Each structure stands twice: as structure tokens, then as C-alpha cells.
Amino acid sequence: MATLEIDRVKKSYGQMDVLKEVSISVGDGDFLVLLGPSGCGKSTLLNMIAGLEDITSGQIRISGDVVNDLSPKDRDIAMVFQSYALYPTMTVRQNIEFGMKIRGVPPEARAKATKAAADMLQMGHLLDRKPSQLSGGQRQRVAMGRAIVREPKLFLFDEPLSNLDAKLRVDMRTEIKRLHQRLGTTIVYVTHDQIEAMTLATRIAVMKDGVVQHFGPPQEVYDRPANTYVARFVGSPAMNIIPASLQVGADGLAEAVVSLPSGEARIAGIPLSAAALKSHAGQKVLLGIRPEHFSLTSGPGLSVHIDVVEPTGPDTLAVFAMGGTEVIARLEPFAAAAGDRLTLAVKQEKVVVFDASSETRLD
Ligand SMILES: Nc1ncnc2c1ncn2[C@@H]1O[C@H](COP(=O)(O)OP(=O)(O)OP(=O)(O)O)[C@@H](O)[C@H]1O
């Protein structure tokens, strides 16, 4: 078990800075997800934690010890790759036992550790098969089994589910979560899948162009994203980002004025600090409203004109124009058609406000 501190870490390849002063620290037993699109630097950061890439500047500490110059084998970590990296000519049992054999673990102890890992991952019946006789999900389990028997301080996962089909991804996601619950080992996990990040993480670092945009617990990242990039990246459908103007309402709280095809509408009672309200009153801002924070109402509300209705089963997505942009609401299933007028209420206490030019969230 381990704490992990990434302290002002930079990585450059020649002139190109792929990581720009990244600082993240997590506690013992945390599940850290590095989330971002292709090319944002998340695999580079993971490889630096593993010791597979040099650090240009800054420090990485595992349980307080600087590991910058330690070789991968001396870092007490286990890594699970996207490609599984199993030995094709060995059986599952031999694949799992191989590392222990190299380290001189006696046969009885190897057999015991292998059985415990196989039981945990429900693959006892696969031990005598070769990797070519396994499905993708089963290979993934073997790769995880091989990591578990090392009893590392830190598990590193590099997009472990990206080669699996959609159904298996969900099953294996649960398996990884169960593994973390049972072992309590600190995990660093790289993905570009925001649902994986939300479901697995205790801490998420959302990255873009080598910079951490938001580092925090998943619910905080979802509810109060640091900027519009994070707001759009996490959640599906994405958070609506709606141009509006900010005013001080009659009650002294923030109030937004948005344009609708039917005229102007007001959303009152938006939570915003007195300082942010003072500095931005009278200005253009961007409102962040999650699709599920709209609801149908028979009382006063926003009168919208529905362009598209998309029933998903548990709920219905309604698309309409607001603030000159396309907005999506996630509503309880209802009978409506394109062209209908609806009146929608907004959970104003959930609305977040972003500065219009920097696009960072106002407190
Ligand atoms: N050896 C290298 N030399 C030069 N540039 C590199 C090298 N390795 C990676 N890069 C660049 O560094 C950036 C970050 O790459 P990295 O693989 O960390 O991104 P990523 O977020 O993990 O993306 P993906 O999900 O596609 O793997 C990319 O722009 C990539 O082109």
C-alpha cells in the first residue's frame, strides 16, 4: 500500500513539452484515474510512474521515497497493459507464476499465491490453458492475476479495457472495482472513457495537452467542473454550456438572463459567491447546466420549442435552442413530438457559471 506524489513533473521530447508541471498527490488506497483524449500525456505520465520513461524535471514519490532514479523492478509496482503482454507459449498458471519464479519464490508459495489470485478472479478452471485458448476478458483476468501475485504497493493500469467489447468492458470494470475493494491497494488507471473514470475513481485528473485541468473526487469533477473543457468531457450527454448575461436578482442572489426563441427568460437563485457576482454582474457569462437538471413543470418555467425527441428507455432526451445554442434536457419519459412547446424548470442550485473569456468556473 502506498501514497503517490507527482510533484511539478515535466516531460519534454526535444522542443515539445508533453507534460507541463503536473502535480497530483493521492493517499494510501486511492484509485486515481488519469482521464483525457488521445495525446494528452496520460500514458507518458503512467510510464514515468512505472519507471519506463525518464522524468525531465520534478519528482515522483511513492510512500514518501523519491523514485526518479529507481529502475522499474525496484519500485514495487505492477502494471497491467492494454495488450495484456502474456507469454503465448506458457499456460495461464506459468504466466502467473513466472515473475515469482524469477524472484526465487518457492514452489509451494507460488502455487498458493496463484490459487488465491485465480479464486479472486474466478479463473481456476483456466489455469492449464494457453493464452490463445482464452477470450479477451479471460486474458485480461490473467494479466490482472499476474499483477496481484506480486503484491505490489501500487497497481498501474494502462487502458486495460480498450480491447474488449462493450458488454465485457462493463463486466471487467466491475471486476476491477471489486479487486480494489478487496485488496485496497493504491491504483493509477489511464483511460479516455469518462464513464470508467466516474465509476472507478476516488480521484480523477482530467488532462488536456499535458496540463491537469481538474484534479478532484469524481462527484466534484462532475458537479463543479473547473472549466468548460472538463464540463464537456465528463458526462454524457455533456453538460450544456449556455451563453447568458449575469445580473443581481431582487433577492441579492445571482440571476441569469437567457434568450429563448419566445423571448428572454430568467433563472434566479444561482449559487455564486458575493465576490464573483460583484465582479461579473452585468457581463456575459456561460451557464453550465447538466441535462438531468431540467424537468417538466406545470408551473412557471422556461418555455422551449422542442426540435428533437430521443427516448432512451429510462428517460427521454429533448433537444431545443436556448441562448443561441443547442441544449439537451434529460426528462422523465413523456409523450411529445418535435415541434411541441414544453415548460421546463431548472434546478438552479445545480447551475454553475463560467467566465465567458477564460471559460473557468466562477466560485
Ligand atoms: N518518444 C516520443 N517522442 C516524441 N513525442 C512523443 C514520444 N512519446 C509520446 N510523444 C508525444 O507525447 C504526447 C503524449 O503522448 P501519450 O502517449 O502520453 O498520450 P496519451 O494521452 O496517453 O494518448 P493515447 O491515449 O493515444 O496513448 C503525444 O503528443 C505524443 O505524440
Side-chain angles (χ1 to χ4, degrees):
M1 302 262 271
T3 59
L4 171 68
E5 292 158 277
I6 296 162
D7 187 3
R8 289 166 291 161
V9 163
K10 286 192 197 170
K11 177 74 184 180
S12 313
Y13 291 106
Q15 297 289 307
M16 192 165 83
D17 299 331
V18 296
L19 290 174
K20 299 162 192 155
E21 283 231 354
V22 170
S23 291
I24 297 170
S25 64
V26 294
D28 205 12
D30 260 324
F31 195 128
L32 167 65
V33 174
L34 305 177
L35 173 68
S38 183
C40 71
K42 53 197 191 302
S43 300
T44 300
L45 184 55
L46 192 78
N47 289 338
M48 287 160 85
I49 299 167
L52 303 173
E53 294 263 13
D54 294 337
I55 300 167
T56 304
S57 69
Q59 264 190 357
I60 296 182
R61 296 186 289 273
I62 299 177
S63 294
D65 300 325
V66 179
V67 299
N68 288 34
D69 298 320
L70 281 189
S71 75
K73 69 175 179 19
D74 296 327
R75 294 190 183 199
D76 210 353
I77 52 172
M79 188 148 171
V80 178
F81 296 92
Q82 179 177 351
S83 61
Y84 320 130
L86 302 179
Y87 299 106
T89 58
M90 294 185 192
T91 63
V92 168
R93 186 192 313 279
Q94 288 164 338
N95 262 286
I96 294 176
E97 291 199 1
F98 186 69
M100 292 188 279
K101 214 167 163 181
I102 298 285
R103 291 194 302 280
V105 177
E108 315 80 69
R110 290 199 312 251
K112 198 169 160 214
T114 301
K115 180 170 186 321
D119 287 349
M120 191 179 291
L121 296 167
Q122 292 154 31
M123 56 174 191
H125 59 296
L126 303 175
L127 288 174
D128 295 316
R129 292 203 200 165
K130 297 270 178 64
S132 60
Q133 298 167 307
L134 301 177
S135 69
Q138 289 167 336
R139 284 179 206 175
Q140 185 62 67
R141 274 170 217 269
V142 179
M144 280 162 51
R146 199 172 46 179
I148 291 170
V149 296
R150 293 185 61 113
E151 298 185 359
K153 281 203 286 198
L154 199 60
F155 280 116
L156 307 180
F157 287 89
D158 189 4
E159 306 237 16
L161 308 184
S162 54
N163 288 339
L164 306 178
D165 65 43
K167 159 97 179 70
L168 205 50
R169 280 182 86 110
V170 175
D171 292 349
M172 287 307 293
R173 197 172 77 199
T174 309
E175 205 63 54
I176 291 173
K177 183 126 194 183
R178 187 174 288 130
L179 185 74
H180 183 243
Q181 282 169 4
R182 286 207 194 156
L183 298 175
T185 310
T186 313
I187 292 180
V188 185
Y189 185 106
V190 162
T191 185
H192 59 266
D193 180 334
Q194 54 91 21
I195 305 219
E196 265 171 41
M198 283 299 295
T199 51
L200 290 170
T202 60
R203 291 283 183 283
I204 298 180
V206 183
M207 298 176 62
K208 181 193 168 201
D209 298 337
V211 177
V212 175
Q213 305 288 317
H214 192 151
F215 171 59
Q219 201 63 47
E220 176 195 285
V221 170
Y222 187 81
D223 288 338
R224 301 187 56 72
N227 54 43
T228 58
Y229 178 81
V230 177
R232 288 191 171 105
F233 199 80
V234 177
S236 177
M239 182 179 252
N240 297 292
I241 307 292
I242 307 165
S245 70
L246 195 69
Q247 299 192 350
V248 183
D251 53 5
L253 298 177
E255 187 170 289
V257 180
V258 287
S259 67
L260 290 169
S262 55
E264 280 191 339
R266 287 170 185 273
I267 302 171
I270 295 173
L272 203 60
S273 69
L277 181 54
K278 192 162 175 235
S279 63
H280 284 74
Q283 294 184 20
K284 298 272 176 235
V285 291
L286 297 168
L287 300 182
I289 309 181
R290 291 273 174 208
E292 65 272 26
H293 295 146
F294 289 99
S295 58
L296 292 168
T297 181
S298 52
L302 308 169
S303 172
V304 303
H305 188 254
I306 301 299
D307 290 331
V308 181
V309 176
E310 296 177 50
T312 68
D315 44 40
T316 294
L317 303 178
V319 181
F320 53 92
M322 182 172 166
T325 190
E326 190 171 87
V327 171
I328 300 183
R330 187 194 290 280
L331 305 169
E332 59 267 40
F334 67 104
D340 285 358
R341 280 204 164 283
L342 293 178
T343 307
L344 300 181
V346 177
K347 264 195 189 152
Q348 71 268 39
E349 72 277 13
K350 294 285 195 179
V351 174
V352 291
V353 183
F354 302 98
D355 181 271
S357 57
S358 68
E359 304 206 0
T360 55
R361 183 174 48 74
L362 303 175
D363 277 326

